[in-house]
Amino acid sequence: MSGKPGNDADVLVVGAGPVGLLLAGELRLGGASVLVVDRLPSPTTESRASTVHARTMELLALRGLSGRFGTPENLPKGHFGGLPLDLGRVRSRYPGQWKIPQAAIERVLAEWATGAGARLWRGHELTGLRDDGDRVEARISGPGGPLRVRAKALVGCDGENGVVGSLAGFEFTGPAAGREIFRADLTGITVPDRRFERHERGLAIASTRDGVTRVMVHEYGRKPGGSADPGFPAVAAAWRRVTGEDIGDGEPLWVNAFGDARRQATRYRRGRVLLAGDAAHQQMPVGGQALNLGLQDAMNLGWKLAAWVRGRAPERVLDTYDRERRPVGARTLANIGAQAMLLLGGSEVDPLRAVLAELLELPGTAPLLAGAISGLDVRYPVGDGDHPLLGRPVPVVDAEPIRSGRAVLLSAPGTARADVFRATAASWADRVATAEARVDGVDEAVLIRPDGRVIWADEGPVELEQALSHWFGPAGANHTERNHRGVR
């Protein structure tokens, strides 16, 4: 087995889907060397997910990536369990939902990550790993034979039931799938567009874009069949039983089945092995939340892991990944579980749907659910201050340091203590940039992490110094080996 030094990296990322590729780019911005491996020999052309919500668009904009997707379709209306929900009234530069095929997301993120220096090996599969406390040693099977890769950390972004979670001994809790939905992309058929149309025997959804029709169908009470590929005849038969229409003459481009499982890793980190995206949480792909949840995992983890493996941040910073993201995942799974009941239940859920439809007409209900689905209502426990922005996202910061993946201290022009704040931050100049800009809701100054979260605002220089030290290590020098066993 080859174990050439050229195979090694600071971080080995397993999985070249959107989550793995965004993570790879974030790691490179943080100065970490990155190797991404994926078992597929070429990028998938399947667009299983196509919905990007407001907070994810804001994160892409923070890195200057949002413009690379052209002018995607924007839909202000979303849904909660199939009931109409206005997503366009959230406080964001990117309200509503944006329709970007997963294949396009992967293409843009792959170009960005590899352009920043990440290595991408397709057609390579992880077959084993060992975390010895100082390094992770991974066994990789590829076209040229088995390889051995050593890394300071390994991240599984390999989807639900991923091999990383299994090999590293992660535990998962939550209910397995109890119901099944068929999904297919077809050409050569003409059916009416259907938005969560409930029939006597099941649920039918259909939409056509650029000559391709996506159909989704669930027969009430249908249990999982045990295969992710049920075959097109099974999909056509279920569609006919639910809607009475024959789509059997269509040409299937892609067919799959998915269930309503809600399973989550009991922790997102075990030593030097971490999980992100669907590898950490399995959920029904309703309303595009799975893709967005995973991309937001990657954005949270990337800068922290890069700083840790490069010796620029203490381990407590890396520990905040689990502390911040796992509760968000649990809340999202609960949200999706409620939607699954509303969507896939038969006539027994009709009274509940009627009551919820009335509640959604109340002024506060729709914004509450829209904030949860869009990802804009998440507040991380980042400190003891009482500023209303603490732990919350800054919508979009037009500052070059943020685009390049650095933390930034923004001081409002003309404020009395601006020079004092900048002088305090100067001791962390290798990790934190300074700039002048005014942020809504901030009187004097705000400290923003590389992922766009506020970690200090409008307090004194002592509190600023404490926040800088907590998140970015000692002033004036990188965090050293004596505090980072095995990280060199």
Side-chain angles (χ1 to χ4, degrees):
M1 179 184 295
S2 172
K4 299 176 182 178
N7 295 337
D8 297 347
D10 288 329
V11 182
L12 173 63
V13 176
V14 180
V19 176
L21 292 169
L22 179 60
L23 177 63
E26 287 295 297
L27 289 165
R28 284 300 302 138
L29 288 183
S33 60
V34 186
L35 171 62
V36 184
V37 298
D38 195 284
R39 62 182 180 81
L40 296 178
S42 59
T44 178
T45 58
E46 302 169 357
S47 285
R48 303 190 177 199
S50 61
T51 298
V52 179
H53 286 298
R55 181 55 190 162
T56 304
M57 285 295 289
E58 290 180 355
L59 292 175
L60 294 172
L62 284 178
R63 297 296 182 261
L65 294 172
S66 56
R68 299 192 187 188
F69 298 102
T71 308
E73 181 182 9
N74 175 247
L75 303 177
K77 300 293 185 181
H79 74 94
F80 186 88
L83 296 169
L85 178 64
D86 186 358
L87 298 175
R89 296 168 61 187
V90 296
R91 188 169 179 267
S92 171
R93 292 191 188 182
Y94 299 94
Q97 52 181 325
W98 302 79
K99 308 306 290 185
I100 308 175
Q102 180 173 326
I105 295 173
E106 291 186 9
R107 182 180 67 255
V108 167
L109 293 180
E111 292 172 353
W112 175 63
T114 57
R119 290 175 291 160
L120 175 55
W121 292 357
R122 298 195 181 273
H124 287 75
E125 186 170 5
L126 178 74
T127 58
L129 66 85
R130 186 182 75 249
D131 180 353
D132 64 12
D134 290 329
R135 298 269 173 160
V136 178
E137 184 173 295
R139 297 190 298 278
I140 307 291
S141 174
L147 298 166
R148 185 173 63 232
V149 174
R150 297 183 184 90
K152 297 173 184 175
L154 183 151
V155 186
C157 302
D158 50 345
E160 60 184 56
N161 303 313
V163 66
V164 173
S166 175
L167 290 174
F170 282 85
E171 297 179 356
F172 291 78
T173 60
R179 290 168 288 196
E180 183 176 60
I181 302 176
F182 290 155
R183 176 170 54 180
D185 284 352
L186 312 170
T187 59
I189 66 168
T190 301
V191 296
D193 276 7
R194 290 180 165 91
R195 186 169 175 80
F196 308 106
E197 191 172 275
R198 290 171 63 81
H199 294 256
E200 181 181 356
R201 302 185 64 175
L203 173 74
I205 303 167
S207 62
T208 300
R209 284 186 177 86
D210 300 324
V212 176
T213 299
R214 171 163 292 185
V215 299
M216 299 172 65
V217 59
H218 168 69
E219 296 179 273
Y220 297 140
R222 182 181 181 88
K223 303 295 183 182
S227 172
D229 183 2
F232 179 57
V235 177
W239 186 265
R240 184 171 55 253
R241 288 192 293 269
V242 170
T243 68
E245 295 174 349
D246 185 3
I247 59 172
D249 291 336
E251 179 68 27
L253 305 177
W254 169 60
V255 174
N256 86 326
F258 60 89
D260 60 345
R262 298 195 318 277
R263 296 180 58 76
Q264 184 181 26
T266 57
R267 50 179 168 164
Y268 285 11
R269 177 190 173 202
R270 284 177 57 89
R272 292 177 176 269
V273 182
L274 303 99
L275 301 178
D278 287 351
H281 36 76
Q282 179 184 0
Q283 61 278 310
M284 188 173 79
V286 56
Q289 289 190 85
L291 171 66
N292 290 267
L293 187 63
L295 290 172
Q296 291 164 32
D297 285 348
M299 198 76 169
N300 183 287
L301 175 60
W303 72 274
K304 298 174 181 177
L305 184 55
W308 185 66
V309 299
R310 298 306 296 167
R312 296 197 305 269
E315 189 165 357
R316 64 172 178 267
V317 171
L318 183 60
D319 288 338
T320 65
Y321 168 61
D322 177 274
R323 187 158 61 248
E324 293 176 354
R325 291 305 298 171
R326 192 156 51 86
V328 174
R331 182 174 180 234
T332 303
L333 262 62
N335 170 311
I336 291 174
Q339 294 194 63
M341 293 176 62
L342 294 166
L343 276 172
L344 307 183
S347 59
E348 73 278 5
V349 303
D350 287 342
L352 179 60
R353 291 176 59 86
V355 171
L356 182 57
E358 291 187 19
L359 291 175
L360 286 173
E361 296 297 322
L362 298 177
T365 308
L368 178 71
L369 294 177
I373 289 173
S374 66
L376 293 169
D377 71 338
V378 174
R379 185 177 190 179
Y380 294 147
V382 299
D384 298 327
D386 58 2
H387 194 282
L389 285 183
L390 199 64
R392 295 195 181 279
V394 175
V396 174
V397 178
D398 296 320
E400 177 57 35
I402 284 285
R403 287 193 290 276
S404 61
R406 299 180 67 193
V408 60
L409 173 72
L410 294 180
S411 54
T415 56
R417 296 191 292 179
D419 290 342
V420 176
F421 293 141
R422 284 195 291 268
T424 301
S427 297
W428 284 265
D430 59 329
R431 286 150 285 172
V432 180
T434 59
E436 280 196 350
R438 189 170 295 281
V439 176
D440 289 345
V442 175
D443 294 329
E444 289 190 297
V446 60
L447 180 61
I448 304 170
R449 299 190 323 194
D451 60 344
R453 293 278 168 173
V454 174
I455 51 178
W456 171 90
D458 283 345
E459 293 184 292
V462 172
E463 291 81 3
L464 173 59
E465 184 173 345
Q466 291 171 345
L468 289 162
S469 178
H470 177 84
W471 288 100
F472 306 110
N478 288 339
H479 212 60
T480 60
E481 169 65 21
R482 64 178 176 269
N483 295 315
H484 252 47
R485 185 167 68 92
V487 178
R488 299 176 177 84

